[in-house]
Amino acid sequence: MRSFVHTSLPTRVVFGAGTVAALPEEVDRLGLRRVLVVATPAQAADATALADRLGARAGGVFAAAAMHVPYDVTLRALAAAETMDADGVVAFGGGSATGLAKAIALRTDLPQVILPTTYAGSEMTPIHGETRDGRKITQRTPRVQPETVIYDVDLTLTLPAGMSVTSGFNAIAHAAEALYAPDTTPVINLLAEDAIASLGRALPRIVADPADASARWDALYGAWLAGSCLGVVSMSLHHKLCHVVGGSFNLPHAETHTILLPHALAYNAPAAPGAMAAIARALGAETAPEALFDLAGRFGAPRALRDIGMAEPDVDVAVGLVMQDAYANPRPLERDAIRRLLAAAWAGDRPAPG
Ligand code: NAD
């Protein structure tokens, strides 16, 4: 008899293998005549090939996107868009390229077409994070919600196995926290559980063979569903921890998610038994936090914050930052237990309820 409010986001999704071929048609569908293609430096060659595919519809390539959307990069991209009189943005890549497209859309309202090549999920959300003067500020605004997303399984085949695992954990984290979000809905619960099941099936096969197209399909499908959850409902402790720890100590995004997720779930487990049962069911496991910790270990993913560059004294700094703002979480934030959580994640210990 529970009441709920569910919002469906308006992004058009084209999904499959070889779907990059639909890009010119999708750009035309939005009535765009001169788009700016954005990517990270590592994917500059792919972005140029994409621009070639677009022919006269592409006005240029800006391949300087960077993690956490630095403001100075945004200003340079905006200047490039203005110089070429762009009427749309095409992003090729992971969350960094998508973040830059969103930064441009935020200021110009230019339509965006995103071709994701990781499992981060940003392409499905109205969430925009940007780093300015050393601080990352995140906001939700429909202005940055992409118009069209073209998921092409073929574009993910080059994502190295290690990055596929951590990026997959980033996606699982969106779905896991959606299951206990205060504003979750029955539809989101369906998407979230299926996202985790699909990614859980995919990742061992990708580690065994990164060229396994059917495993890549499952992972990208899971990433789409997980991103859809992130776009609609509020995130809690886990995302807050990643934001604080990753942002304050400049740690790599997907790895930070991978390390913290089992610990954040263990913390919340006593207060969110239904969500934990759904995650465990999706993974075919007994308990969700342990299953994710063991999966990360089996795949050789990092399991300790100290191994990705966090110094031990930063644990206490992080505790202070996490306790600063109030936000929804199934279990109230208890300083000592949060400290134990972060100390365990720093050391790489097994997750414990605290
Ligand atoms: P990323 O976009 O920084 O990519 C990491 C590296 O992998 C880059 O060098 C990239 O060029 C390379 N790469 C990407 N796809 C590849 C492929 N298929 N083959 C080979 N190399 C490839 O990393 P990410 O984890 O996708 O994104 C992280 C960023 O996204 C963070 O800044 C995070 O805050 C943001 N994010 C935002 C949202 C949101 O909703 N706003 C959601 C998730 C993540």
Side-chain angles (χ1 to χ4, degrees):
M1 296 295 284
R2 189 166 72 84
S3 303
F4 60 88
V5 176
H6 181 83
T7 305
S8 295
L9 296 174
T11 300
R12 173 179 164 88
V13 171
V14 178
F15 193 103
T19 43
V20 67
L23 177 63
E25 195 183 317
E26 291 299 325
V27 165
D28 288 347
R29 197 173 175 279
L30 291 168
L32 308 178
R33 300 182 174 280
R34 214 170 155 68
V35 299
L36 175 67
V37 179
V38 301
T40 61
Q43 288 175 298
D46 295 311
T48 304
L50 207 66
D52 290 345
R53 194 183 271 275
L54 283 167
R57 300 176 189 88
V61 173
F62 182 88
M67 187 80 88
H68 304 308
V69 197
Y71 183 59
D72 63 304
V73 176
T74 298
L75 291 182
R76 282 163 48 213
L78 281 167
E82 198 178 309
T83 306
M84 54 165 273
D85 200 19
D87 61 359
V89 193
V90 170
F92 181 93
S96 297
T98 303
L100 182 57
K102 287 176 163 182
I104 296 171
L106 180 70
R107 277 120 186 148
T108 59
D109 224 8
L110 294 185
Q112 307 167 66
V113 179
I114 314 286
L115 294 106
T117 65
T118 71
Y119 308 127
S122 176
E123 64 281 354
M124 291 308 298
T125 80
I127 303 169
H128 180 55
E130 200 166 273
T131 313
R132 196 171 173 173
D133 303 326
R135 276 197 71 200
K136 186 166 179 180
I137 309 282
T138 301
Q139 58 176 309
R140 271 185 191 256
T141 163
R143 274 175 85 85
V144 303
Q145 181 80 36
E147 277 66 14
T148 303
V149 175
I150 301 177
Y151 285 106
D152 186 338
V153 174
D154 295 346
L155 304 182
T156 63
L157 293 171
T158 51
L159 190 66
M163 280 172 67
S164 301
V165 168
T166 53
S167 192
F169 266 69
N170 187 190
I172 290 174
H174 307 327
E177 288 227 294
L179 284 164
Y180 55 59
D183 47 358
T184 197
T185 74
V187 174
I188 290 299
N189 283 341
L190 290 175
L191 298 186
E193 191 169 334
D194 207 24
I196 297 168
S198 205
L199 284 153
R201 275 196 307 273
L203 295 180
R205 287 146 63 214
I206 291 173
V207 170
D209 176 12
D212 181 338
S214 132
R216 290 290 188 179
W217 194 102
D218 284 346
L220 195 60
Y221 176 75
W224 166 41
L225 300 185
S228 304
C229 296
L230 174 68
V232 174
V233 299
S234 320
M235 294 289 116
S236 299
L237 175 66
H238 169 73
H239 281 74
K240 172 74 176 179
L241 286 171
C242 291
H243 184 86
V244 163
V245 170
S248 310
F249 312 116
N250 199 23
L251 306 182
H253 180 80
E255 287 86 341
T256 306
H257 270 273
T258 307
I259 294 166
L260 282 168
L261 185 62
H263 298 279
L265 293 184
Y267 182 92
N268 279 334
M276 294 307 140
I279 299 166
R281 196 162 54 231
L283 293 171
E286 288 279 306
T287 52
E290 282 79 4
L292 288 165
F293 183 78
D294 290 338
L295 269 186
R298 225 174 90 203
F299 297 151
R303 288 201 295 191
L305 292 172
R306 68 173 165 196
D307 292 343
I308 61 164
M310 185 170 168
E312 193 166 14
D314 290 340
V315 168
D316 283 315
V317 181
V319 176
L321 292 169
V322 171
M323 297 302 297
Q324 251 170 28
D325 313 314
Y327 54 91
N329 192 58
R331 177 176 163 192
L333 298 195
E334 299 156 26
R335 180 177 281 272
D336 290 348
I338 294 290
R339 196 190 182 286
R340 283 195 293 278
L341 182 172
L342 280 167
W346 182 82
D349 294 343
R350 286 192 79 75

